[in-house]
Each structure stands twice: as C-alpha cells, then as structure tokens.
Amino acid sequence: MSSNNTISHEIADILRDEILRQRYRSGDRFPSERDLAARFDASRGAVREALSQLEQLGLIHTQPGGARVQSVNSASLAVLGPLLALDDHPDPLLVDQFLQTFSVLTSMTVKNAVNAASPEQLTQLKQLLVELANHSDDIEAMQPRWREFLEAMSTIADNLVVRLIRNDLKAQFVDQMMKRGFQPDLKKGSTDRLLTTLGESLSKRDGELASKAMQNYFEELRGTVGKALRFNSEGHRSEQFSGA
Amino acid sequence: MSSNNTISHEIADILRDEILRQRYRSGDRFPSERDLAARFDASRGAVREALSQLEQLGLIHTQPGGARVQSVNSASLAVLGPLLALDDHPDPLLVDQFLQTFSVLTSMTVKNAVNAASPEQLTQLKQLLVELANHSDDIEAMQPRWREFLEAMSTIADNLVVRLIRNDLKAQFVDQMMKRGFQPDLKKGSTDRLLTTLGESLSKRDGELASKAMQNYFEELRGTVGKALRFNSEGHRSEQFSGA
DNA sequence: GGACCAAATTGGTCAGACCAAATATAGAGC
DNA sequence: GCTCTATATTTGGTCTGACCAATTTGGTCC
C-alpha cells in the first residue's frame, strides 16, 4: 500500500480500510484514542497521528468529546486508491468511472495545449509524436513516452487545477493498476489512428480535433478495459493481473 | 480559514501559507520539528501534527533525517483553497482554470445523469427545474436550488470519482468565493436559456444537449467572472467583495 | 417526561526521554 | 588537495505520564 513503514501509517491504513469496508456506519462514534492505543498496543501519540491522516482524508471528524465517522461520499479524492485496492479485483464500475473522468480532463488539457502552444512547443510535441509512432509496436516502450507527451501537454496547457486533479488521480489509480501489472491491450489500429489525428491537429493547430481524438481513444479504452475486468472478475484469473 | 481553533491547525495554516508563498524552494530542507516547536512556543507533538497535515497536502515529505519541501505542482488538490485565499483578491487565472475544470466535470455529470435517469428521477429533475424557473429573478434564492439540482444530477449520474473531485473543488473554491461574498451577476437571459434547454433535454432524454447547454452557460460565466475579477484586481474595490 | 447538574470520558497539549536512521563532521590514507 | 571512512550529531518516530477544557453521560429533581 502507500504506507511508510511507520506505526502511525500502519494504524491509519488499517482503520482507513475498516471505514471503507463500511465497518462503521456514517455518523457512528469512532473508538476513542485511548481504546485504539490499547488495541494496537501503541502510544496515544501514534494513534493521534493516524487519526489526523483519516481526518485529512475526510473519513472522520474529530472533536473534543469524540470522533465521528463520515460518509465516503464526502471524503477526499485521496480515498480512491485505497478503495480500488480494497479487493483483489478492482471494481470494474469504479475503473470505468475513473477512465471517463480522466478522459474529459485529458481531452480538455489536450485541447488547450494545442491551442496555446508556441511554435517551438508545437515542434516539440510533433517530435514526441514521432517518437511514439516509432515505438507503436512495443507497448512497454510507449508507456514512458506517453507519459512524457502528456506531461508536455499538461505543462503547455498550464492549468493548475487540472494538473492537481490528475496528480491525485494518477497517484490513486494509474500507479495502482501498474502495481497490479495491468496492461490494457488496445488494438494497434486505435493507437495509430490517435497518433495520426493528433499529428494532424498539431499541424492545423486544431485543439478541438485533438480533443475529439483523445475522447474516442478513451472510449475504446473503456470498452477494452471493461471487458478485461469483467472477464477477470468472473473468476477466470487471467495473467493480466500478476498481483503485486 | 479552514482552521479549527487548535494550535496544531494554526501552525499548519501558517507553515502551509509560507510554503505556498514560495518562502522555501522546492527541495529545500524544512526546519526541524524541534526548531518549529521553539518558534511557535508549542510542544513537538503539536508541531508533528501540523507537519502531518502538510504531508497529507503533499507540500512536504518527511523522513528520518529531515523533511523536505515539495513542489506545489505535485501537491494535493486540497491546496487550491489556501492558494486562492493567499491574497485579498483571488487570482483571476486560477479562478478561470477552476471554472473551466468545473465546467467539463459538470457537463459530464449532467450528460450521464440525463441519459441514465429513471422516469421518476426525470420528473423529479423537471420539478426542480420548475422551482428554479420560478425564482429566476432572485439569485439569492436560486443558489440553494441550484445546489439541490446539481446534487440530484450527481446522485443520478453516480460517478464516485467525479463526486469526490467536485467535493474537493467545492470545498476549496465555491465556499471560498461565498465567504468573500462574491456573486456573479449573469444576465438573466443566460440563465433562462440554460433552464429552457435543460428542460428540453430532459423531455428528449438528450444528455448531449444538456451537456452542451451546461458548457455554454459556464462559458458565459467564465467571461463574466473574469471581467469582474480583472476589474476588481485593478484596485477598484467593488462591492462584490465584501470581505469575510 | 423533561430540565438541570455532577461525574466520567474524550480530544488537545505539554514535558522529558529513548531509539534508529540519516546527515554532517573529522580524520586517515593516498 | 582529494577521497573515503568512521565517528558524532541531528532528526524523525515513538513512548510514558500528566493536565486542561469541552463534551458526553447518567442520575436527580421537579
């Protein structure tokens, strides 16, 4: 998990998962710090630091007199990762929701980047696209280049809000999937089509076109990933999930 | 600010703002807990809890041996609120970026909601629209009804990822603007047009149409708000900002 | 049954201490 | 002078035990 190997993080991880697994109902009283200290055989200070993390996640609310459990719906974005990691198989619905969200944000970024890029940045982007095209056969090799390309787009678009959201989502989700060794096997045609259209949009400086291309790509990705996950969750443990 | 009136929150607020104001460069060593305890005349425990909050925000990274400051770009979404509250006048660019982001997420929610709503939910939504139309003259009165309408949309669309993001954004931003007493004065025409189109999209069950209408509305909102903020930041302190 | 008051519980803070990991420093060897 | 190593120091992580103020709880009185 995300845990540092400190006691307080361990405690936080355990309690967080218990809350996410609905072991306490929203509004319930949370065990007192002294009880938790006894339960985990730790000092109250360590427990307090753990509770501080849970409070930052929006999972509990502490007040003199007692802490109370809050609804997951009102939690912070940072609970997504733990939520996905709760079971062996990630929840297909949640994954799909993630992809859809990531799609609209990425499309927006791409659109703004293409429209706002300086001539130098345009050539840089084209260069990265060529790099990608050169490795379109090897998904492994494309991964870091995609990252670089999207990072460049993100820098050019220069929208801090989206950047922060994508930070969180990436930390919560992408890394989670990577750790599980998940590799979506998109047909090569889809990727090639995306690369071509992106190149075209760069030449024409047509952000809308780039955005649409990105959306279509994610649409296909959602289909593929959804199929793989559903197949997987039916018990046919595929090799796509090697497990951390 | 968001602070509870505890010492550790106070310390966290101060240090957070110092980091956001770039008083430490990314990568710099952060003062030791003992130094900070001396500076704030507090116990090390209180300082540690403050630092724990900063770590959750992604602003510092602590390790045995010392804590280091991280780049704001790699921080968590939760820094947006404090970032907006840093100066008397919110950064127009940041506000615009927020609105654009909120726009695509809301449009996506609306689209999915309209497409996925059950017949009962459709009538409920229409009912809420009527409510809105009845108060279209009084912005004050519309506010809670808008909230209710969007909340219903959010519930129907049932995308936890977007919901969590919107939670954070709302907490960081909307509340921030409300506290400043900011009220965008959109022309009544825009709002009426939005309401009409939304009603139409509900009847036709046309999510795409609803989405487009939402986008257009936000587009106008961005224009209006941007103008107001720029005007305001030129020193003509308008009455729109009554100050908390 | 409801209003009111005292006792127990709970979170927030403090002080002083110890350990292990990381850093800084001084010294040895070249 | 430079590099490398061993030592000393700093720093974060944790523990113990204590105190205060706010809340909650339970019982009493009307």
Side-chain angles (χ1 to χ4, degrees):
Chain A
M1 205 123 311
S2 64
S3 61
N4 302 356
N5 30 16
T6 68
I7 294 184
S8 59
H9 280 85
E10 264 181 55
I11 298 177
D13 284 348
I14 295 176
L15 292 178
R16 162 171 52 64
D17 284 351
E18 285 185 2
I19 296 178
L20 291 180
R21 286 184 200 280
Q22 318 264 3
R23 242 180 88 163
Y24 311 89
R25 264 169 311 185
S26 165
D28 271 6
R29 283 185 75 98
F30 204 64
S32 77
E33 298 178 351
R34 291 166 176 87
D35 285 352
L36 291 174
R39 169 182 163 191
F40 291 107
D41 194 29
S43 75
R44 196 153 82 91
V47 169
R48 277 184 64 76
E49 292 192 25
L51 293 190
S52 166
Q53 296 175 42
L54 296 185
E55 174 139 45
Q56 293 286 317
L57 288 180
L59 290 178
I60 64 174
H61 178 69
T62 72
Q63 254 187 350
R68 297 200 166 272
V69 180
Q70 292 192 298
S71 160
V72 176
N73 274 336
S74 66
S76 147
L77 192 53
V79 302
L80 268 186
L83 210 51
L84 279 168
L86 224 46
D87 300 307
D88 288 349
H89 306 296
D91 180 355
L93 181 61
L94 196 54
V95 172
D96 189 61
Q97 294 178 356
F98 164 82
L99 285 177
Q100 196 183 3
T101 309
F102 205 74
S103 170
V104 299
L105 292 178
T106 305
S107 302
M108 170 180 151
T109 298
V110 166
K111 175 172 144 193
N112 288 340
V114 170
N115 287 339
S118 70
E120 297 79 33
Q121 289 171 326
L122 274 182
T123 53
Q124 181 205 358
L125 288 177
K126 284 181 186 168
Q127 183 58 38
L128 289 174
L129 271 184
V130 172
E131 277 282 323
L132 274 166
N134 285 344
H135 297 77
S136 66
D137 297 315
D138 182 5
I139 290 192
E140 284 288 321
M142 287 186 84
Q143 207 98 29
R145 290 177 173 80
W146 267 123
R147 200 190 315 270
E148 195 181 351
F149 180 72
L150 289 178
E151 175 62 29
M153 284 284 190
S154 198
T155 302
I156 297 172
D158 195 31
N159 183 328
L160 181 61
V161 181
V162 174
R163 175 178 276 274
L164 293 184
I165 294 178
R166 286 175 41 110
N167 276 351
D168 271 358
L169 287 185
K170 208 179 85 51
Q172 300 300 316
F173 190 91
V174 180
D175 298 346
Q176 187 63 234
M177 296 308 262
M178 298 276 279
K179 190 155 65 177
R180 290 167 184 260
F182 181 77
Q183 285 286 358
D185 57 339
L186 263 179
K187 295 174 193 64
K188 187 169 178 305
S190 307
T191 309
D192 286 344
R193 209 175 316 138
L194 173 64
L195 290 178
T196 307
T197 313
L198 281 180
E200 195 181 326
S201 70
L202 285 178
S203 302
K204 296 183 186 171
R205 198 185 259 289
D206 184 347
E208 197 65 45
L209 178 62
S211 172
K212 282 272 188 287
M214 214 71 217
Q215 279 181 41
N216 289 336
Y217 179 76
F218 269 103
E219 207 69 38
E220 297 187 41
L221 187 62
R222 282 174 65 194
T224 307
V225 170
K227 210 183 298 177
L229 286 183
R230 276 192 301 278
F231 177 76
N232 194 263
S233 66
E234 280 163 11
H236 309 278
R237 186 165 184 77
S238 90
E239 292 174 5
Q240 288 179 328
F241 295 84
S242 55
Chain B
M1 201 123 313
S2 64
S3 61
N4 302 358
N5 30 16
T6 68
I7 294 184
S8 58
H9 279 86
E10 265 180 56
I11 299 177
D13 284 348
I14 295 176
L15 293 177
R16 161 170 54 65
D17 284 351
E18 286 186 1
I19 296 178
L20 291 181
R21 286 184 202 280
Q22 318 263 0
R23 241 180 89 163
Y24 312 90
R25 265 169 311 186
S26 164
D28 270 6
R29 282 186 74 101
F30 204 64
S32 76
E33 298 177 352
R34 289 166 178 86
D35 285 353
L36 291 174
R39 169 181 164 193
F40 291 107
D41 194 29
S43 74
R44 197 154 80 91
V47 170
R48 279 185 62 78
E49 292 192 24
L51 293 190
S52 166
Q53 295 174 43
L54 295 186
E55 174 140 45
Q56 294 288 317
L57 287 180
L59 289 177
I60 64 173
H61 177 68
T62 72
Q63 256 188 349
R68 297 199 166 272
V69 179
Q70 292 192 298
S71 161
V72 176
N73 274 335
S74 67
S76 149
L77 192 52
V79 303
L80 268 186
L83 209 52
L84 279 168
L86 268 189
D87 300 307
D88 288 349
H89 306 296
D91 180 356
L93 182 60
L94 197 54
V95 172
D96 190 61
Q97 294 178 356
F98 164 82
L99 285 178
Q100 196 183 3
T101 308
F102 206 73
S103 169
V104 299
L105 292 179
T106 305
S107 302
M108 170 181 152
T109 298
V110 166
K111 176 172 142 192
N112 288 341
V114 171
N115 286 340
S118 69
E120 297 79 32
Q121 290 172 327
L122 274 182
T123 54
Q124 179 205 359
L125 288 176
K126 283 181 186 170
Q127 183 58 38
L128 289 173
L129 272 184
V130 172
E131 278 282 323
L132 274 166
N134 285 343
H135 297 79
S136 66
D137 297 313
D138 181 5
I139 290 192
E140 284 287 322
M142 287 186 83
Q143 208 99 26
R145 290 177 172 81
W146 267 123
R147 200 191 314 271
E148 194 181 351
F149 180 72
L150 289 178
E151 174 63 29
M153 283 284 190
S154 199
T155 303
I156 297 172
D158 194 33
N159 184 326
L160 182 62
V161 180
V162 174
R163 175 177 275 273
L164 293 183
I165 294 177
R166 288 175 40 112
N167 276 352
D168 271 358
L169 287 185
K170 206 179 87 51
Q172 301 301 314
F173 189 91
V174 180
D175 298 346
Q176 186 64 232
M177 295 309 260
M178 298 275 278
K179 190 154 64 177
R180 291 168 184 260
F182 180 79
Q183 285 286 358
D185 57 338
L186 264 179
K187 296 174 192 63
K188 188 167 176 306
S190 306
T191 309
D192 286 345
R193 209 176 316 137
L194 172 63
L195 291 178
T196 308
T197 313
L198 281 181
E200 195 181 327
S201 70
L202 284 179
S203 301
K204 296 183 186 170
R205 198 185 259 291
D206 185 346
E208 197 65 45
L209 178 62
S211 171
K212 281 272 188 286
M214 215 69 218
Q215 278 181 41
N216 288 335
Y217 179 76
F218 269 102
E219 207 68 38
E220 296 188 41
L221 187 63
R222 282 174 64 193
T224 307
V225 170
K227 211 184 298 177
L229 287 183
R230 275 192 303 276
F231 177 77
N232 194 262
S233 65
E234 279 162 11
H236 308 278
R237 185 165 184 78
S238 88
E239 293 175 4
Q240 287 181 326
F241 295 85
S242 56

